[in-house]
Amino acid sequence: MEPPLLFTPGPTWVRPEVLAEMSRPAIRHRGAEAQALIGEVAKLFGRILGSSQQILLSTSSATGLMEAAVRNCVRRRCLCLSCGAFGKRWMEIVESCGKTAIGLEVEWGKAIRPEAVAEALERGDVDAVTLVHNETSTGVANPLREISAVVGRYPDVLLLVDVVSSLGGMPVAVDELGTDVCLASVQKALALPAGFSLCSVSEAALQRSRSMAEKGFYFDFVRMQEAARKSQSLTTPSTAHLFAIRKQLQFLFSEGLDVRHRRHRRMAQRVREWAGARMELFAETGFESDTVTCIRTTGGIDATEFCGALESEGFRIAPGYGKLKKRTFRIGHMGDHSLQAVDSLLEAADRILAGKKGNAS
Ligand SMILES: *Cc1c(COP(=O)(O)O)cnc(C)c1O
């Protein structure tokens, strides 16, 4: 049997040509070929991020870089903006690194408001702020530009941003935003196999890192940057990923970044229209994500059962995250999916809903 088509908000469907790159013979990671590969991949990621800052590559998932951001950039106290599970993860990381997390938490499904961030910074005495751009657990896209502008009024406060599930599907413009660490993994809208991540680090973040003690070795931004400057990797990278990334970014730029973002917006609109007419959108109006939609079931439909039924139709979506598991499900319309594929998913969903009505009457 064919594996189900992935509409999960990570991991996402990977093109066979890209998967095939993972099985190339290994190359020496200190050689000229690896150097060229690392240099090219970093440059292309810089373009997607809209960043002229230093790009660091990491053979880890994005959570590794979240922890790195905290260890390199948070001295004592960090304002953690949270509207869902991944915002909460930043808080846990800050605390588990022995620093103080000041939570600014809003109800799941709502977005974080720049005014609230301004107030919190006014009360302040924090040396960094963490933010999740696109909260994958709730399908909320936070106002990144506005929040960045507020944090930008405090030059000593570093802004650490998770763009894990937006990068490659929604615009992120590091140079305009002025983020200090902007990080993502590759298994979401970039549509690559999991196990690799990247970030853009500002001069201020590197400066902060230089003054930090006990930040560890593997994720030390200063050591990573010294290697990256020479298009090298501090430790052995997954060269299999580097091959696959190079290939995938060629596909990405041949589609064009703007076209890709527009495609994501169209897929999102289609899913939102479908969901709005049949169930309820979980995200606050005006702050819906273009890569993932979280839908609250109505009429006694069990979200887990619904996901199971879709799986039998050949589509895998995701149940709600954590505490939302029973009442919501999520469709990840991200990566390399087409509008037609989204339509076939929604048609299958409609067949299931029609069947349920049929059973009830
Ligand atoms: C998936 C996800 C993460 C975690 O990424 P890993 O690569 O699994 O570490 C963090 N933040 C957001 C918003 C995500 O969607």
Side-chain angles (χ1 to χ4, degrees):
M1 216 178 95
E2 285 278 301
L5 192 54
L6 294 185
F7 277 93
T8 40
T12 52
W13 179 74
V14 180
R15 293 166 190 270
E17 302 92 320
V18 170
L19 267 187
E21 289 289 310
M22 299 285 288
S23 60
R24 275 172 178 253
I27 56 170
R28 209 164 59 82
H29 70 282
R30 295 284 175 218
E33 193 183 351
Q35 226 166 353
L37 188 54
I38 290 169
E40 185 179 357
V41 163
K43 194 180 92 199
L44 294 175
F45 275 142
R47 270 173 69 190
I48 303 176
L49 283 159
S51 169
S52 52
Q53 298 175 352
Q54 179 72 58
I55 305 299
L56 303 177
L57 307 179
S58 173
T59 299
S60 71
S61 83
T63 308
L65 285 179
M66 291 169 83
E67 187 157 322
V70 168
R71 296 192 72 179
N72 283 274
C73 298
V74 179
R75 279 206 196 96
R76 294 182 304 114
R77 288 159 56 88
C78 184
L79 176 65
C80 296
L81 311 175
S82 171
C83 64
F86 292 105
K88 196 92 185 159
R89 180 172 295 184
W90 270 123
M91 290 183 77
E92 284 173 19
I93 292 172
V94 167
E95 281 164 357
S96 67
C97 288
K99 333 246 173 180
T100 306
I102 319 281
L104 191 168
E105 295 180 77
V106 305
E107 195 189 327
W108 287 30
K110 298 271 187 299
I112 294 152
R113 293 300 198 278
E115 304 78 45
V117 179
E119 261 173 48
L121 284 173
E122 213 38 57
R123 287 193 302 275
D125 191 25
V126 297
D127 45 69
V129 174
T130 60
L131 171 66
V132 175
H133 175 208
N134 192 65
E135 182 47 82
T136 319
S137 60
T138 61
V140 166
N142 282 307
L144 176 58
R145 189 168 292 276
E146 291 79 0
I147 293 172
S148 300
V150 168
V151 180
R153 300 205 289 261
Y154 296 79
D156 295 332
V157 177
L158 298 184
L159 177 58
L160 320 176
V161 183
D162 162 338
V163 295
V164 176
S165 62
S166 49
L167 193 71
M170 295 161 72
V172 173
V174 164
D175 286 345
E176 286 166 36
L177 298 167
T179 59
D180 292 291
V181 178
C182 187
L183 63 93
S185 41
V186 298
Q187 77 277 18
K188 309 268 167 108
L190 292 167
L192 278 149
F196 207 87
S197 54
L198 62 130
C199 66
S200 173
V201 291
S202 71
E203 202 35 62
L206 289 166
Q207 201 55 43
R208 175 77 56 89
S209 173
R210 284 186 196 104
S211 72
M212 298 285 282
E214 296 181 7
K215 57 191 158 170
F217 181 96
Y218 190 72
F219 285 123
D220 176 356
F221 282 166
V222 174
R223 289 179 205 268
M224 289 171 86
Q225 186 243 357
E226 279 164 4
R229 252 192 348 223
K230 297 178 279 180
S231 294
Q232 288 181 351
S233 175
L234 176 60
T235 58
T236 316
S238 165
T239 45
H241 273 94
L242 290 169
F243 289 132
I245 293 166
R246 178 174 59 186
K247 187 76 170 181
Q248 172 64 351
L249 298 190
Q250 283 162 2
F251 279 117
L252 186 146
F253 283 109
S254 67
E255 178 183 20
L257 205 48
D258 290 343
V259 175
R260 190 177 179 86
H261 293 154
R262 276 202 296 278
R263 176 168 56 79
H264 278 81
R265 163 127 323 165
R266 289 208 189 94
M267 292 193 292
Q269 284 168 340
R270 190 66 59 90
V271 171
R272 290 200 286 266
E273 272 164 30
W274 179 90
R278 290 158 184 80
M279 299 180 193
E280 279 172 24
L281 289 170
F282 189 75
E284 182 179 0
T285 307
F287 297 93
E288 300 95 339
S289 161
D290 281 348
T291 59
V292 54
T293 299
C294 182
I295 299 163
R296 197 202 306 263
T297 60
T298 51
I301 293 168
D302 181 293
T304 319
E305 261 178 43
F306 187 68
C307 293
L310 263 174
E311 180 112 5
S312 332
E313 295 272 344
F315 298 96
R316 180 171 296 162
I317 59 167
Y321 200 100
K323 64 183 182 185
L324 300 176
K325 198 172 177 72
K326 280 214 167 57
R327 297 181 293 136
T328 70
F329 61 90
R330 293 170 303 149
I331 298 178
H333 31 81
M334 60 171 86
D336 287 333
H337 286 308
S338 63
L339 206 52
Q340 291 89 313
V342 169
D343 280 339
S344 53
L345 163 74
L346 298 177
E347 281 158 20
D350 273 339
R351 283 196 296 278
I352 293 163
L353 292 179
K356 280 194 183 304
K357 275 198 204 115
N359 290 345
S361 60

